Amino acid sequence: MQKIKSLMARQGLKSPQESMADLSPVENLRIPSKEELREMREQPINPQAEQEIIDSIEEVYYSSDSFDMVQYELEKLPPELKLQELEEYRDKLKRQQAAVSKKVADLILEKQPAYVKELERVTSLQTNLQLAAVICTNARRQLSVAKEGFTEASLGLLANQRRRQLLTGLLKSLRTIKTLQRTDVRLSEMLEEEDYPGAIQLCLECQKAASTFKHYSCISELNSKLQDTLEQIEEQLDVALSRTCKHFDVAHYTKVQLAYKLLGKTQTAMDQLHMHFTQAIHNTVFQVVLGYVELCAGNADTKFQKMQYKDLCTHITPDSYIPCLTDLCKALWEVMLSYQRTMHWHEEHDKEEVVPPPNDASVDDSEEAVDRSYVKKKLEHGLTRIWQDVQLKVKAYILGTDMSNFKYDDFIVVLDVISRLMQVGEEFGGSKSEVLQESIRRQSVNYFKNYHRTRLEELRMFLENETWELCPVKSTFSIAQLHEFKFMGQCRSPSVSPSRQPGLAGGSAQGELSLFQQFSQEGNPFERTVDHKEEETEDVLASNGYESDELEKSVYQDYDSDSDVAEELKQDYVDEQTGDAPLKSVSRETMRSRTKSDYNLNKSNAPILTNTTLNVIRLVGKYMQMMSILKPIAFDVIHCASQLFDYYLYAVYAFFGRNDMPVPSPSLPTQSGREAGTLRLAGPACLYESSGLGLISSRLRTTLNRIQESLIDMEAGGESSGAHGPGEERKEKVPSPHLSQMVVLTASGSLYGLAQRVVATESLVFLAEQFDSLQSHLDTMMPAAKKAFLQQFFSQTVSTASELRKPIYWIVAAKAIDYEQMLQLMAGVKWDIKEIMSQHNVYVDVLLKEFEQFNVRLGDVSRHVRIPLAVSNVLWEHCIRLANRTLVEGYANVKKCSNEGRALMQLDFQQFLTKLEKLTDLRPIPDKEFVETYIKAYYLTENDMEQFIKNHREYSMKQLANLVNVCLGSHINKKAKQKLLAAIDDIDRPKR
């Protein structure tokens, strides 16, 4: 610092403080004159440069007015001073000062007109103030004169007038106090009349008046009394509010709400109302259940009053269960109806108050809007809460009793009541009633398991006692005519009147209304009774399977005589069975043979079914009725219904489809892959089974295996049907049924029980058709996640019913014609003849005679049971196919054959076809190409023969080898023979 001062002394400079002291404050802050400003402005201007100079000024200079710039600059000096650097820094500061001064000057010049204008306004204001001072002086002088002229007499008059007014007010107050003292009597009268709004209005007015005169000592006691009266009114008002929970009355509720509005407690009233509804639900259900428990207990000493509701529900007896449940739902309905009507009252009330009167205050409007909004939200939220309380109470009642031993009709009534209650819940608050669904689902699953197990045992008993006789029903029979399917309504059976349908008792007009709309004024949805058994009878049975005795008589006459059948009947029959008209006209003989081959006998096309079939259909109807009432267990019920069909299908297969019964000729192999016993059919039957044409499709085989694994208890014996295995899985299974001893399947005269086989198989097909007709209805009931099961059941099980025809009727076809005899006759024929024969061999006539006898016996069977076209086609197809296989097998047994012998084979086969076509209308003849191709293969060359062997795998190795051996010497040499036999062996090797 000393160095700086010494340097300044040598320069002849003064310190900044001294320089500043020499200047007066005015000079220090002197505003440049106009000439200076003009001079500054005339200097060459570079705005950008000036702005850069100003921007280079440090921020600290702008920090505050008390900033000491001199001290700041001195403190910034370095310890060692250099003159040149100081001068440069001083020049920089001067440039900054000059730039700032110029900027200030510019701003001053810019604001000067505004300054002059403001100065003029100040001058004008000063003149106005001087004028105001003169006016005020004059006013004070005049007021002083008026004060001096005001006399004491005038003031006295005014004082007397004031005293008079005070006394008049006192008299009015005394009269009001007298009235207040008498209001308690009037308040009591109004409360007795339930005029709550009037009582509250009067009490509030009295309180307001009392607060006005609270300076009187006599009023303090009255004010306290009025407060007590108001509290008493509120208590009575709360009791009146609680009464609306069970029996809603519009006028009564309007008074209560108006009273709460006067009290300013609209929101409190809504809170209290919901508490009362909760309490009403609890008290109602407790009293209903308690009444039934005490009634059933008689003189028991148990203190039921002190029990919890849940424990009380366990004391309900099965006999009183349904009446108590109905009364319980009726009582809860009244509570929910009151809540609905309460909501409706508020909705209507809000509509009336949407447009407020124009003189209402905005504050009051906003408060009322808030109240309305609160009430609306509270009521909407209360729907869920109240329905939840209802569900919990009913759930405790449902789970309090074991319903597994209830009768079916009683359980259906319970399901119907709960279903109706869930419908109420859905209309009440849009709830899916998960609590109720789960509780009733648990009871239903428990009940249904026992029920289904019993029904399966009954079905097994029915099947084991079933003689497979035709159950005569009308041709117009439909499952919709059965009582069990009445619940499906007019959608399936127009004959059911709407009044019979539950839920439509009030007609179609009411069917469009909700329950709350139907029973808003009177009645109760739980007062409707469920039709246990309708009084009307089921008119489904016919007389001996015919529509009338006359028709039965005419049928036998038509069949016994050789007269032609009417053309119209033939046409109708073909149309009914195939939907197509005959392609060509036929002769009388052909038409007569067609009549016999179709075996329709002009009977009515009544369904073929048995009593057991009808029983299964009824069971399915009951199961579907349970599903329609209770959707949560729909999958379990449909699964059980599918087991009924599975068991019926398995029983029909086990009775008639297995190839394990003794026959006059060697027996047939078992199609299911199980052991068939020690008997076996030789020759064509085995060839037919092994030919790849399979009697049982892979789908049917899979279905039968699945049923056996999942449903059939193979370990249980016939005598121990009631005994269950220790495992839970075994409890779900049923022993395999046994065919009744009254059913004889070994008699050739009855075509090995063909009538029983037709009734059994076609009743199964009919049952499958009924399931198909119900598929859409079942699909609507099935949960979305489980619909794959339903589709699989119909595609893999129901659709396989008709496939059982092949293995069942194949057994008849294999036994009805003596194929073994034909093989023996063919073995005696000489085929290495040298000349072409014109006469066919005798075995053809024998075979055709067998077919004619089969045709006659088929007609005999059809006298008792209608044989549908599809059945006769299957029978003829099997017989013809077996005959053709037998022919090929016979030709394959030939040791030597010539070209002429091969021609004789063709002649025999053509003779067989010609005669066969007169016996049956089946076209084309099955396996016709199978025989013709084998016969013609004799003429093939070596290369063609090798290709034939590779392409025709339908022939057995023996048949192909015989073909090669027979051709040896005629047009195939030994070398070619070895080559062809090797090719056959290559084909056979992968099969070993």
Side-chain angles (χ1 to χ4, degrees):
M1 185 64 70
Q2 294 297 328
K3 291 181 179 181
I4 295 173
K5 290 183 177 181
S6 63
L7 181 61
M8 291 175 65
R10 284 198 302 270
Q11 294 285 332
L13 299 173
K14 296 181 179 180
S15 65
Q17 288 85 353
E18 293 173 349
S19 300
M20 292 296 293
D22 292 343
L23 298 172
S24 65
V26 176
E27 290 175 337
N28 221 359
L29 300 173
R30 182 176 62 86
I31 299 174
S33 64
K34 291 184 178 181
E35 290 75 11
E36 292 174 341
L37 293 173
R38 188 180 302 110
E39 183 179 348
M40 289 180 182
R41 297 180 65 180
E42 289 175 356
Q43 292 178 359
I45 300 173
N46 187 352
Q48 185 176 1
E50 285 185 1
Q51 186 63 37
E52 289 178 355
I53 293 171
I54 292 174
D55 292 342
S56 65
I57 298 174
E58 296 181 29
E59 291 293 335
V60 70
Y61 280 91
Y62 304 104
S63 60
S64 64
D65 295 338
S66 62
F67 174 67
D68 189 352
M69 62 189 74
V70 176
Q71 183 67 27
Y72 174 72
E73 292 296 339
L74 289 176
E75 289 176 353
K76 282 177 58 180
L77 292 177
E80 295 181 5
L81 301 176
K82 294 181 181 181
L83 181 60
Q84 184 176 358
E85 292 178 356
L86 287 174
E87 288 179 348
E88 289 176 356
Y89 187 68
R90 184 192 62 184
D91 293 341
K92 177 182 176 182
L93 291 175
K94 284 183 177 181
R95 286 194 300 273
Q96 289 177 348
Q97 182 182 14
V100 171
S101 299
K102 187 172 185 308
K103 186 71 173 179
V104 170
D106 290 342
L107 292 173
I108 290 174
L109 288 176
E110 183 180 345
K111 302 294 183 180
Q112 187 175 8
Y115 165 76
V116 173
K117 184 176 180 181
E118 189 65 25
L119 188 60
E120 292 175 354
R121 289 179 59 195
V122 170
T123 306
S124 174
L125 180 61
Q126 184 178 6
T127 304
N128 290 335
L129 289 174
Q130 291 175 353
L131 179 60
V134 173
I135 293 172
C136 288
T137 303
N138 292 335
R140 286 179 179 176
R141 188 183 304 113
Q142 292 176 2
L143 285 173
S144 178
V145 172
K147 182 180 179 181
E148 291 174 356
F150 196 74
T151 59
E152 293 181 357
S154 299
L155 292 175
L157 289 173
L158 290 174
N160 292 333
Q161 180 62 24
R162 181 171 176 273
R163 191 178 297 110
R164 180 182 176 183
Q165 290 178 346
L166 289 174
L167 291 174
T168 304
L170 178 61
L171 181 61
K172 185 177 180 180
S173 298
L174 291 173
R175 289 175 178 170
T176 303
I177 292 172
K178 182 179 179 181
T179 303
L180 290 175
Q181 294 290 345
R182 298 178 179 176
T183 53
D184 56 341
V185 178
R186 178 55 185 157
L187 284 173
S188 300
E189 293 175 354
M190 296 178 77
L191 288 177
E192 290 179 0
E193 297 171 358
E194 294 187 351
D195 184 9
Y196 303 109
I200 292 175
Q201 184 72 31
L202 178 60
C203 191
L204 291 176
E205 289 176 356
C206 290
Q207 279 190 327
K208 185 177 180 180
S211 64
T212 306
F213 305 114
K214 62 183 177 181
H215 49 280
Y216 297 109
S217 58
C218 61
I219 291 300
S220 59
E221 182 181 351
L222 177 62
N223 202 7
S224 176
K225 186 177 180 181
L226 287 174
Q227 186 62 35
D228 293 340
T229 303
L230 191 60
E231 292 177 359
Q232 182 184 356
I233 293 174
E234 287 188 25
E235 291 177 0
Q236 294 192 20
L237 197 59
D238 189 57
V239 174
L241 184 65
S242 67
R243 290 204 301 269
T244 64
C245 296
K246 293 184 179 180
H247 304 287
F248 184 85
D249 181 75
V250 175
H252 178 76
Y253 189 74
T254 304
K255 289 181 181 179
V256 173
Q257 282 297 320
L258 181 57
Y260 274 111
K261 185 176 181 180
L262 291 173
L263 289 173
K265 294 184 177 181
T266 303
Q267 297 184 12
T268 305
M270 195 49 54
D271 295 337
Q272 288 294 113
L273 180 64
H274 281 80
M275 289 177 58
H276 289 315
F277 268 106
T278 303
Q279 190 66 29
I281 291 173
H282 174 76
N283 293 340
T284 299
V285 297
F286 187 85
Q287 291 300 324
V288 171
V289 176
L290 178 64
Y292 275 92
V293 170
E294 290 180 341
L295 180 65
C296 297
N299 298 325
D301 297 332
T302 309
K303 301 296 183 182
F304 296 114
Q305 290 278 0
K306 298 180 180 179
M307 281 189 177
Q308 295 291 328
Y309 171 73
K310 188 174 182 181
D311 298 330
L312 196 65
C313 291
T314 60
H315 289 77
I316 291 290
T317 61
D319 293 338
S320 61
Y321 188 87
I322 293 177
C324 182
L325 176 63
T326 305
D327 288 347
L328 196 67
C329 292
K330 286 181 181 179
L332 291 173
W333 161 263
E334 295 296 337
V335 175
M336 289 186 285
L337 179 62
S338 295
Y339 194 89
Q340 278 281 350
R341 297 182 68 183
T342 301
M343 288 191 67
H344 181 70
W345 184 93
H346 281 280
E347 289 173 1
E348 296 296 325
H349 190 67
D350 290 345
K351 289 178 183 178
E352 296 174 359
E353 295 186 355
V354 167
V355 182
N359 58 348
D360 281 1
S362 60
V363 177
D364 294 340
D365 292 346
S366 61
E367 289 180 357
E368 288 186 7
V370 169
D371 287 343
R372 285 198 299 270
S373 176
Y374 178 83
V375 168
K376 183 178 180 181
K377 291 179 179 179
K378 190 74 175 178
L379 287 171
E380 291 174 353
H381 176 71
L383 287 171
T384 305
R385 177 181 170 185
I386 288 175
W387 178 241
Q388 191 70 11
D389 289 342
V390 170
Q391 287 189 89
L392 292 174
K393 297 300 181 185
V394 179
K395 174 188 176 182
Y397 182 83
I398 292 173
L399 299 180
T401 303
D402 182 11
M403 291 188 280
S404 60
N405 295 319
F406 274 33
K407 295 179 181 178
Y408 174 80
D409 291 335
D410 291 342
F411 190 73
I412 287 296
V413 171
V414 174
L415 292 185
D416 182 64
V417 172
I418 299 301
S419 175
R420 209 169 299 158
L421 183 61
M422 288 192 286
Q423 181 185 352
V424 170
E426 187 170 358
E427 295 180 5
F428 182 71
S431 171
K432 297 300 181 183
S433 308
E434 289 84 359
V435 175
L436 272 181
Q437 287 189 14
E438 176 59 24
S439 58
I440 199 65
R441 190 193 70 81
R442 286 168 55 186
Q443 283 283 26
S444 299
V445 169
N446 182 35
Y447 172 82
F448 196 73
K449 281 183 178 179
N450 293 336
Y451 182 79
H452 178 61
R453 177 70 194 181
T454 306
R455 299 292 80 76
L456 276 178
E457 290 291 346
E458 286 182 0
L459 179 57
R460 184 173 75 90
M461 180 187 68
F462 286 144
L463 288 169
E464 291 184 343
N465 291 279
E466 180 63 65
T467 58
W468 302 104
E469 296 292 337
L470 189 66
C471 177
V473 293
K474 289 189 174 183
S475 59
T476 57
F477 170 75
S478 168
I479 59 173
Q481 297 167 358
L482 300 176
H483 293 316
E484 287 77 9
F485 290 90
K486 295 296 184 182
F487 74 96
M488 295 174 63
Q490 288 183 323
C491 62
R492 293 197 176 273
S493 176
S495 63
V496 181
S497 63
S499 61
R500 289 286 185 181
Q501 301 177 37
L504 296 177
S508 59
Q510 285 191 354
E512 299 174 358
L513 302 176
S514 69
L515 293 175
F516 286 98
Q517 292 172 329
Q518 292 182 43
F519 303 100
S520 59
Q521 300 300 327
E522 60 181 357
N524 193 300
F526 298 97
E527 291 175 351
R528 296 180 293 178
T529 57
V530 179
D531 295 331
H532 297 283
K533 296 179 181 178
E534 298 190 14
E535 296 178 359
E536 59 181 285
T537 58
E538 295 176 339
D539 187 17
V540 297
L541 298 180
S543 171
N544 296 325
Y546 299 89
E547 296 297 332
S548 65
D549 294 335
E550 291 76 10
L551 179 57
E552 180 180 4
K553 182 177 178 181
S554 64
V555 163
Y556 283 112
Q557 288 176 350
D558 289 345
Y559 184 77
D560 292 338
S561 67
D562 290 334
S563 60
D564 292 331
V565 180
E567 189 67 29
E568 293 80 1
L569 291 179
K570 300 170 193 171
Q571 178 70 37
D572 290 344
Y573 174 70
V574 175
D575 286 347
E576 285 181 13
Q577 295 297 327
T578 66
D580 300 324
L583 298 178
K584 58 182 180 179
S585 60
V586 292
S587 64
R588 291 162 58 96
E589 291 78 8
T590 305
M591 186 56 70
R592 186 181 297 113
S593 64
R594 173 178 297 179
T595 306
K596 295 183 180 180
S597 64
D598 288 345
Y599 311 106
N600 192 44
L601 298 181
N602 296 329
K603 290 184 185 179
S604 62
N605 290 323
I608 297 178
L609 68 157
T610 66
N611 289 325
T612 305
T613 317
L614 208 55
N615 182 58
V616 173
I617 293 174
R618 290 183 187 277
L619 278 179
V620 172
K622 290 182 178 181
Y623 284 17
M624 289 182 63
Q625 187 177 359
M626 191 176 295
M627 278 187 287
S628 66
I629 295 174
L630 190 65
K631 299 271 193 325
I633 65 164
F635 171 71
D636 302 280
V637 179
I638 289 178
H639 180 258
C640 291
S642 71
Q643 288 186 341
L644 295 175
F645 184 84
D646 288 347
Y647 196 69
Y648 194 91
L649 183 147
Y650 185 85
V652 171
Y653 166 75
F655 293 166
F656 305 103
R658 287 183 181 174
N659 219 356
D660 53 1
M661 53 199 81
V663 293
S665 59
S667 182
L668 308 169
T670 300
Q671 284 78 38
S672 65
R674 303 183 184 87
E675 294 182 1
T678 58
L679 301 178
R680 182 178 57 189
L681 180 65
C686 295
L687 288 173
Y688 181 34
E689 180 63 18
S690 62
S691 65
L693 298 176
L695 296 171
I696 296 187
S697 64
S698 59
R699 184 175 63 164
L700 178 57
R701 190 182 302 277
T702 302
T703 299
L704 291 170
N705 289 336
R706 175 189 62 78
I707 296 173
Q708 179 178 329
E709 293 172 3
S710 62
L711 187 61
I712 305 303
D713 185 2
M714 303 303 293
E715 300 177 11
E719 300 298 326
S720 57
S721 60
H724 296 172
E728 185 66 27
E729 181 180 355
R730 186 159 176 201
K731 290 182 179 179
E732 303 297 329
K733 294 185 176 182
V734 188
S736 179
H738 301 284
L739 182 64
S740 172
Q741 295 180 354
M742 298 178 64
V743 180
V744 179
L745 302 180
T746 57
S748 60
S750 64
L751 273 181
Y752 305 97
L754 177 60
Q756 288 83 0
R757 294 177 190 271
V758 169
V759 171
T761 310
E762 300 313 306
S763 67
L764 174 64
V765 173
F766 176 78
L767 185 61
E769 292 172 354
Q770 305 316 303
F771 268 87
D772 279 328
S773 67
L774 297 171
Q775 182 176 4
S776 59
H777 194 81
L778 293 173
D779 190 66
T780 58
M781 298 180 182
M782 180 68 90
K786 301 291 186 179
K787 287 191 176 182
F789 166 82
L790 190 65
Q791 296 298 331
Q792 186 177 11
F793 169 67
F794 276 96
S795 63
Q796 297 185 10
T797 303
V798 177
S799 61
T800 61
S802 59
E803 296 179 13
L804 269 181
R805 285 171 171 162
K806 279 192 174 183
I808 291 176
Y809 297 138
W810 181 81
I811 298 174
V812 175
K815 300 172 187 176
I817 294 177
D818 191 353
Y819 304 101
E820 197 68 31
Q821 177 190 8
M822 188 170 63
L823 282 176
Q824 294 173 1
L825 292 174
M826 292 178 71
V829 177
K830 186 177 181 182
W831 300 103
D832 55 347
I833 56 178
K834 300 300 182 182
E835 58 183 19
I836 297 177
M837 305 295 292
S838 60
Q839 179 64 33
H840 61 272
N841 286 301
V842 68
Y843 74 86
V844 176
D845 295 328
V846 173
L847 180 60
L848 288 171
K849 186 176 181 181
E850 289 276 344
F851 273 102
E852 290 174 357
Q853 291 177 353
F854 170 74
N855 193 21
V856 171
R857 285 191 288 173
L858 206 56
D860 293 339
V861 173
S862 66
R863 293 174 181 271
H864 307 289
V865 176
R866 179 176 64 88
I867 299 180
L869 181 63
V871 176
S872 65
N873 284 343
V874 171
L875 284 167
W876 278 101
E877 179 185 356
H878 282 331
C879 290
I880 295 171
R881 205 178 288 275
L882 280 172
N884 286 335
R885 300 280 165 151
T886 306
L887 289 174
V888 172
E889 183 68 12
Y891 296 150
N893 292 333
V894 175
K895 302 300 181 183
K896 294 180 181 181
C897 184
S898 62
N899 290 336
E900 291 78 6
R902 221 63 179 176
L904 181 57
M905 291 180 184
Q906 288 181 315
L907 176 63
D908 290 345
F909 186 60
Q910 290 302 322
Q911 175 68 16
F912 172 67
L913 291 179
T914 302
K915 296 293 184 181
L916 184 65
E917 287 176 350
K918 295 181 180 180
L919 293 175
T920 178
D921 291 327
L922 190 63
R923 300 290 185 275
I925 298 297
D927 278 350
K928 175 182 177 183
E929 293 78 8
F930 182 78
V931 181
E932 292 176 341
T933 303
Y934 186 78
I935 295 175
K936 293 176 182 178
Y938 174 81
Y939 303 105
L940 297 176
T941 62
E942 175 186 344
N943 294 333
D944 292 337
M945 180 70 74
E946 184 176 2
Q947 193 64 31
F948 176 85
I949 291 172
K950 292 179 180 179
N951 294 339
H952 291 273
R953 303 289 182 90
E954 67 269 21
Y955 298 105
S956 67
M957 298 302 106
K958 173 193 169 185
Q959 292 168 351
L960 293 174
N962 176 268
L963 191 62
V964 174
N965 290 327
V966 170
C967 294
L968 178 65
S970 61
H971 54 279
I972 293 180
N973 54 35
K974 290 185 178 180
K975 182 179 179 180
K977 170 189 173 184
Q978 297 300 326
K979 180 181 178 182
L980 292 173
L981 291 177
I984 295 173
D985 190 60
D986 291 340
I987 294 173
D988 187 47
R989 189 175 292 113
K991 299 180 181 178
R992 297 172 185 170

